Amino acid sequence: LTANWKSMQRKVDNVLDPRAGHVLQFEVGGGARALLSDQDFVRGYGRVAWYQPMRGSDVLILRAEAGITLANSRDGIPQDFLFRAGGSQSVRGYAFQSLGVPEGDATLGGRFLATASAEYVHWLSPQWGVAAFVDAGDAADDRDSFDARIGYGLGARWASPAGPLALDLAYGHNEERLRLHFSIAIAF
């Protein structure tokens, strides 16, 4: 049994195709053994995205997220209350949620998360654009094992009626591997 609270503030010029403004998201939650939880824990999470108009219709997008789960260990905490990183809306160049606590062949969630991203989108026409980006971050079970992974690359943008579709080719610097990522680039 857990209790959770979430708040989101979206102040952008266009929800489906933001070019100016910001989005803030905060969450807090937890559980207690006295209230039918397997573990006493408190979880906090925050995310911010900043859209800065640049020359012409270009846009600079800055994104960061951080999270912490306060508990003696991650044992008994549901994976939904722990953190993993990697993928198109996190650290590009790494597989979806592949950054976390390795255990055998699996990647489990950790108690700490931090990611950051900078992306510049140059619109060639009203429908087509190109992007350059760099992402960094990791999820870990303690601060000592936190090791920021870097990903960077180039992408194509298409302003579809559902929002900008993103096709990114990213290089995961730590894995020395290229990955293709596809996403809808909306203001989360």
Side-chain angles (χ1 to χ4, degrees):
L1 184 64
T2 63
N4 302 287
W5 175 80
K6 180 179 181 177
S7 175
M8 183 175 287
Q9 179 188 61
R10 210 181 264 117
K11 289 191 175 185
V12 292
D13 60 339
N14 184 330
V15 175
L16 293 179
D17 188 9
R19 307 279 175 108
H22 68 272
V23 180
L24 301 171
Q25 176 183 339
F26 297 101
E27 299 177 18
V28 66
R33 287 185 179 158
L35 298 173
L36 304 175
S37 182
D38 293 339
Q39 167 83 279
D40 294 329
F41 68 95
V42 175
R43 177 187 186 268
Y45 173 79
R47 180 176 169 135
V48 61
W50 184 269
Y51 300 88
Q52 179 64 46
M54 303 301 278
R55 185 179 53 108
S57 59
D58 294 0
V59 63
L60 175 66
I61 304 166
L62 303 174
R63 179 181 44 83
E65 66 179 336
I68 186 170
T69 299
L70 301 171
N72 293 333
S73 77
R74 63 183 161 84
D75 297 332
I77 299 175
Q79 285 293 304
D80 289 345
F81 289 88
L82 298 171
F83 303 100
R84 290 185 288 175
S88 63
Q89 297 295 319
S90 181
V91 183
R92 289 166 283 193
Y94 300 87
F96 178 69
Q97 294 192 343
S98 66
L99 304 177
V101 180
E103 190 169 294
D105 291 337
T107 300
L108 302 179
R111 293 181 292 154
F112 298 91
L113 169 75
T115 68
S117 175
E119 177 175 319
Y120 189 93
V121 180
H122 173 69
W123 290 96
L124 303 168
S125 72
Q127 282 78 32
W128 292 99
V130 294
F133 59 86
V134 60
D135 301 336
D138 195 14
D141 206 31
D142 57 60
R143 291 182 187 113
D144 294 334
S145 59
F146 188 89
D147 181 25
R149 309 300 171 94
I150 309 256
Y152 44 86
L154 300 171
R157 301 292 180 267
W158 176 54
S160 79
L165 297 181
L167 184 63
D168 294 324
L169 183 61
Y171 181 74
H173 183 76
N174 299 73
E175 289 184 355
E176 299 180 344
R177 181 176 177 182
L178 282 171
R179 286 191 185 274
L180 195 61
H181 297 277
F182 175 78
S183 65
I184 298 177
I186 59 170
F188 62 90

